[in-house]
Amino acid sequence: MKKIGSLNLIGNTPLIKLQNIKVPNNVEIWIKYEAGNPTGSYKDRMALSVLSEAMKNGKVKLGDQVIEYTGGSTGSSLAFVSTSLGLNFTAVFSDAFSSSKKQTMEAFGAKVIVEKSYGKGITPELLSRMKTKAYELSQKPNTFYADQFGSINVLKGYIPMGKEIKNKLGNIDVFCASVGTGGAIMGTWNGLNSHNSKLVAFEPLQSPYLTSGKGGPHLVEGIGVGFEPPFLNRELISDIKCIDQVDAFKMCRRLAKEEGLFCGGSTGMNVFGALEVAKDLKYGSKVVTLACDNGLKYLNSNIYQTN
Ligand SMILES: Cc1ncc(COP(=O)(O)O)c(C=O)c1O
């Protein structure tokens, strides 16, 4: 298996405590800064797990074509890991997502097919169209469907993240995160193996599928998929909170200015949500959430276009 050194840069990211944003009840909010991964996103962890396991098991071999439909973060990670392992990658993408993510995938040598959103944003209809296209492509010979919504290796890829948090902080009170496939929140939770903590999930108020059964158009890339996230184990979740995307994006701008943390919309949602969670906690409790990815990917989206 071809393996290049930059794959070793995946994981072992910093844990950073909020310093300047005032947190209710003096709760400590810790942020796992996943922008520290090579493509600036925690998706590098799942891409490495999925593709290296598939190569080990002979499901994909050098020179094969990896296929996935993606909003671009998973795609950037799959593009990066594919080229590092000697594979090719084709992404089914859409103009509803940041164009810089398309450029990133292409920089790593990926082929990017763009499904039109017709200005309607990220809708369940668009995602379903992208999925059909990806499935069609994956029927060709010498292709491998990465299956970010089904592969057990997605979950496995995030277990080290939970372990890294546990090694640094010991027991925590709450782990919370927003949900796309549910891979990051559940895999990290498995790695945390912390039975006395609570697990809280967030979703966009504009696409409240988890709490109401109905998704809708929204602007927070990577989450709020409008169907049951395959990896989400509702039995382990204590609470699901709906967060307005406007508050999430405002939080992104505050994080940059007040904490020096430059992140995307799902991270804004995670931190805004963590502050909501803190309102109901005892003085000095510990909450951990994720900085899913880097703000540089969103310079041409509406997160950083306003003040
Ligand atoms: C930027 C971003 N945040 C959050 C998520 C959600 O992660 P998960 O699919 O593991 O639930 C994604 C998934 O694509 C993402 O791209």
Side-chain angles (χ1 to χ4, degrees), residues 42-43 73-74 158 178-184 221-223 266 292-293 298:
Y42 62 44
K43 294 285 174 176
S73 285
T74 298
Y158 293 111
S178 50
V179 176
T181 65
E221 297 187 28
I223 63 168
S266 57
C292 314
D293 66 355
Y298 301 93

Side-chain angles (χ1 to χ4, degrees), residues 156-194:
K156 286 190 185 158
Y158 293 111
I159 289 176
M161 178 143 70
K163 291 188 172 160
E164 288 163 29
I165 295 167
K166 182 136 192 174
N167 287 343
K168 177 97 192 251
L169 294 180
N171 287 332
I172 61 167
D173 297 285
V174 178
F175 175 63
C176 52
S178 50
V179 176
T181 65
I185 190 172
M186 298 314 306
T188 307
W189 180 251
N190 292 345
L192 264 171
N193 193 21
S194 185

Side-chain angles (χ1 to χ4, degrees), residues 258-272:
E258 297 176 45
E259 302 281 345
L261 292 174
F262 193 33
C263 301
S266 57
T267 303
M269 179 165 296
N270 285 353
V271 176
F272 188 90

Side-chain angles (χ1 to χ4, degrees), residues 195-206:
H195 303 292
N196 297 324
S197 318
K198 282 190 170 167
L199 181 61
V200 178
F202 306 131
E203 67 175 349
L205 183 65
Q206 287 77 5

Side-chain angles (χ1 to χ4, degrees), residues 233-261:
N233 182 346
R234 287 181 183 253
E235 281 176 18
L236 299 177
I237 294 202
S238 308
D239 191 14
I240 302 172
K241 290 188 185 299
C242 293
I243 311 284
D244 194 323
Q245 66 192 18
V246 175
D247 291 325
F249 293 173
K250 249 188 228 161
M251 182 54 70
C252 288
R253 298 190 287 273
R254 283 193 70 188
L255 283 170
K257 288 194 181 111
E258 297 176 45
E259 302 281 345
L261 292 174

